[in-house]
Amino acid sequence: MRLTQVMTCALLLSATAIAAQDRPPPATAAAPQAESLTGLWKAERRFGADIQGPLVIERTGGRYTADIAGYVLPVTVTGQALGFELPGRRGRFEGRLAGAGLIRGHWLQPSTPVNGGFGSPVLLRAAARDRWIGEVRPLQQSFTLYLLLRPRPDGSFDAVVRNPERDLGAQTGAQRLVRDGEVVRLMGRRGSGPEREIAAGRLDSESGSFTLALPNRGGTYDFRRDEDDNSPFYPRGRNPAAYVYRQPPERDDGWRTASLREEAIDQPAMERLVQSIAAAPMDSNDAPQIHALLVARHGRLVLEEYFHGYDRDRLHDLRSAAKSVTAVAIGAALQARAPLSLASPVYQVMNGGTAPAGLDPRARAMTLENLLTMSSGWFCDDTNEEAPGNEERMQDQEEEPDWLRYTLRVPMALNPGEQSIYCSSNPNMALGMLGAASGRSPLDWFDRAVAEPMQIGDYAWFLDRTGQPYGGGGVQLRPRDLIKFGQLMLNGGSWEGRRILDPGFARRATSALYHSRNVFYGYLWWVEDYPYKNRTVRSYSARGAGGQWVTVIPELALVVTVLAGNYSSNVQKTYTSHIVPRSILPAVREPGDDPRATVSDRSFTSPYGASTDGSRMRSPAQAPGDAR
């Protein structure tokens, strides 16, 4: 998914307008010394999730009621489905009686100033006859800004802006902070365009702090000095200690763990890799922001490292890597006998069983499999701003909040199956077909057919404006749960002995079915060859903007997950994409390798710079980038 250019422009214009209204005449007093603003500053605001905590559902006679956050509300029951909504659209619950004294469902939280709405799982257990209790834990949303200011000769300040949630610094081209008496202005430039004001605010000379107004991101942000040596602005603090490898702990999440040595991965090489991430300089808006690095081999987790304040229990935005999660959700629903097949016609399913009259014959021929391979034939290309089905255009427009209905009106450009073109509306429509064909929420299918058997207890699924789950990206998962999807595909569709996908579906999902932009595409999984020793090895991966990767090398029984925050920067193409082929693969041994050999003998390459022989690295081919 993408952050829209329109939203960015609105942010800039609104901030400029508000600052202009409040700006005082130039101060006559002497300006504060450069030292008063030099250094690292931080501002953070938290949004949403005001409705959370215990949820109690009770049945009295034939009536159900829900009790949450001081509200007692009637519950609508239709067959096995239950639901209720809080006044003022402050949240909604959708669930189903699941047997064994359980109600499984989702809490649908509304949008916030920094993001859309999300659906989060809720499990209620029987506490007594006709009484169920569970916990509503919606996604905690925040917007964090770091400013690293360094004086310039002209009296302004070089500004490095770090925003882990949306990468606002790279998105806006922020470059410097200008002080005009008590007024401060954040200035930036995109490409070769003119410098412009991004945000403005005031300096409080008494406290030494200052504010910046970002109205489209929730209002005013108060910046205070960040003097914490362990500040998340840095990967692991200002002065990271030398990294020493530790085997990941086993938890109650299905992962067995092992050491790097037990699974024949060179430990010194991996220590150098982690150390290079931990010590990476943070002196530009394009500095790589690696949040998590996990490695599994032969079905056992062998490396688990976090940076910039992230940890194993924190949900992370997958961006378009969530498309591959959508493919798994569809395949798992088919395996669970949802009334749908790969050959199901799109328009027939979405129109209640009969194709609309006068439908373009090409649209009539479109199937679910076409959606999974990005070969629908719609005039829909996320890299073409003129395409009516372009994701930005769809999400920016105000006339149709239902993105499924919007997409069904997109004109055809090609015959279905003729060409694979990157279009986020395809996986979203695939998820919509699952809901339309079954009469059940796709989130319910995902929860029962994927999350429950794979021991994924917490996640947040991005919603469109009507509250429908969006299949084109934006799901949030914990890192240890995300890497399970790579292991699932490596296992041919099973997890810890439980069949999730039909083996044929898993095989086709990760096969080179279509050629797309120098790589190949299966069912929403990318397929690419990497160099290894004196040959190439086949890989398949889930990929998302910002540096979200789940890469599988079947020949080596290897799964790697990288999560990062460079959502608006091309650095993801020159850093995160190098980690597997340039830094991890050389560390992986095979039977017959010299056990005394180390990666240093094989010219280890760090993803953060030149290789050991001084040559610069070339990035492998990329999936089309998106800013959301």
Side-chain angles (χ1 to χ4, degrees), residues 455-472:
Q455 296 172 262
I456 300 173
D458 192 16
Y459 56 87
W461 201 295
F462 182 70
L463 308 173
D464 72 9
R465 296 191 198 113
T466 66
Q468 298 179 100
Y470 182 62

Side-chain angles (χ1 to χ4, degrees), residues 445-507:
W445 283 105
F446 175 77
D447 197 62
R448 294 183 181 221
V450 180
E452 187 274 328
M454 290 179 64
Q455 296 172 262
I456 300 173
D458 192 16
Y459 56 87
W461 201 295
F462 182 70
L463 308 173
D464 72 9
R465 296 191 198 113
T466 66
Q468 298 179 100
Y470 182 62
V475 176
Q476 300 206 15
L477 288 173
R478 292 180 295 199
R480 283 175 66 125
D481 289 333
L482 175 59
I483 195 173
K484 291 177 183 178
F485 285 86
Q487 190 66 46
L488 171 73
M489 306 310 281
L490 180 60
N491 294 345
S494 66
W495 170 258
E496 291 296 290
R498 298 187 65 171
R499 173 61 56 190
I500 308 297
L501 303 175
D502 178 83
F505 184 96
R507 183 172 57 256

Side-chain angles (χ1 to χ4, degrees), residues 500-525:
I500 308 297
L501 303 175
D502 178 83
F505 184 96
R507 183 172 57 256
R508 282 186 63 78
T510 56
S511 296
L513 304 180
Y514 283 84
H515 186 266
S516 179
R517 295 181 179 270
N518 301 318
V519 291
F520 291 90
Y521 211 53
Y523 291 167
L524 307 178
W525 286 79

Side-chain angles (χ1 to χ4, degrees), residues 24-295:
T28 57
Q33 295 298 312
E35 291 75 8
S36 66
L37 290 179
T38 298
L40 181 62
W41 300 79
K42 177 184 178 180
E44 182 177 33
R45 294 193 61 176
R46 299 182 183 275
F47 300 91
D50 53 335
I51 301 298
Q52 56 186 309
L55 167 62
V56 179
I57 293 181
E58 293 186 280
R59 178 173 56 197
T60 304
R63 300 181 60 189
Y64 287 77
T65 58
D67 186 325
I68 181 172
Y71 292 94
V72 178
L73 303 164
V75 176
T76 300
V77 181
T78 305
Q80 299 297 303
L82 305 93
F84 67 89
E85 184 170 4
L86 291 177
R89 297 184 177 181
R90 300 183 67 195
R92 186 168 88 243
F93 174 78
E94 294 180 354
R96 296 179 69 87
L97 293 164
L102 299 177
I103 296 176
R104 302 186 72 94
H106 293 85
W107 184 256
L108 309 181
Q109 67 187 98
S111 300
T112 72
V114 296
N115 215 333
F118 286 87
S120 303
V122 181
L123 178 63
L124 296 98
R125 302 180 184 275
R129 182 178 175 83
D130 295 335
R131 190 170 190 263
W132 297 263
I133 299 178
E135 190 81 10
V136 171
R137 294 178 300 170
L139 179 66
Q140 301 295 318
Q141 299 189 54
S142 61
F143 203 70
T144 310
L145 291 164
Y146 294 94
L147 271 177
L148 179 61
L149 301 178
R150 293 167 295 191
R152 288 184 171 192
D154 64 1
S156 67
F157 295 82
D158 277 318
V160 174
V161 179
R162 185 79 64 245
N163 169 224
E165 295 86 8
R166 289 293 173 187
D167 199 15
L168 191 67
Q171 180 192 2
T172 59
Q175 293 183 335
R176 66 189 187 113
L177 188 80
V178 177
R179 186 182 58 227
D180 181 8
E182 293 185 349
V183 173
V184 290
R185 292 177 290 147
L186 183 63
M187 310 296 293
R189 175 183 287 112
R190 291 303 301 263
S192 59
E195 186 179 56
R196 69 201 187 286
E197 185 175 291
I198 297 169
R202 290 179 174 276
L203 177 70
D204 184 339
S205 56
E206 290 188 9
S207 66
S209 62
F210 61 91
T211 63
L212 288 175
L214 296 172
N216 283 1
R217 293 298 179 192
T220 300
Y221 284 75
D222 298 323
F223 284 83
R224 298 193 182 340
R225 286 195 178 278
D226 185 353
E227 298 177 342
D228 185 356
D229 285 341
N230 295 314
S231 170
F233 174 83
Y234 304 98
R236 287 192 173 168
R238 284 183 171 86
N239 302 293
Y243 170 69
V244 177
Y245 169 75
R246 291 181 179 84
Q247 178 178 322
E250 291 198 356
R251 306 184 76 195
D252 188 21
D253 63 358
W255 272 114
R256 293 170 295 139
T257 70
S259 70
L260 289 166
R261 295 186 189 280
E262 287 177 297
E263 296 303 336
I265 299 178
D266 187 80
Q267 180 175 318
M270 299 306 293
E271 288 179 332
R272 289 197 295 273
L273 172 60
V274 174
Q275 185 69 39
S276 71
I277 297 173
M282 296 289 109
D283 54 0
S284 76
N285 287 331
D286 282 332
Q289 302 295 299
I290 305 298
H291 294 161
L293 174 63
L294 292 83
V295 178

Side-chain angles (χ1 to χ4, degrees), residues 335-397:
Q335 176 69 13
R337 303 187 182 279
L340 196 64
S341 75
L342 292 172
S344 294
V346 175
Y347 281 83
Q348 183 175 315
V349 170
M350 298 303 294
N351 196 51
T354 305
L359 185 65
D360 186 321
R362 295 175 295 180
R364 186 182 296 271
M366 189 192 305
T367 67
L368 174 63
E369 187 168 35
N370 296 138
L371 300 179
L372 294 177
T373 56
M374 297 279 196
S375 64
S376 62
W378 277 317
F379 187 7
C380 178
D381 182 347
D382 286 351
T383 66
N384 179 359
E385 295 180 359
E386 302 303 317
N390 175 284
E391 186 182 41
E392 280 192 1
R393 293 187 63 169
M394 178 182 71
Q395 295 186 359
D396 287 349
Q397 56 82 33

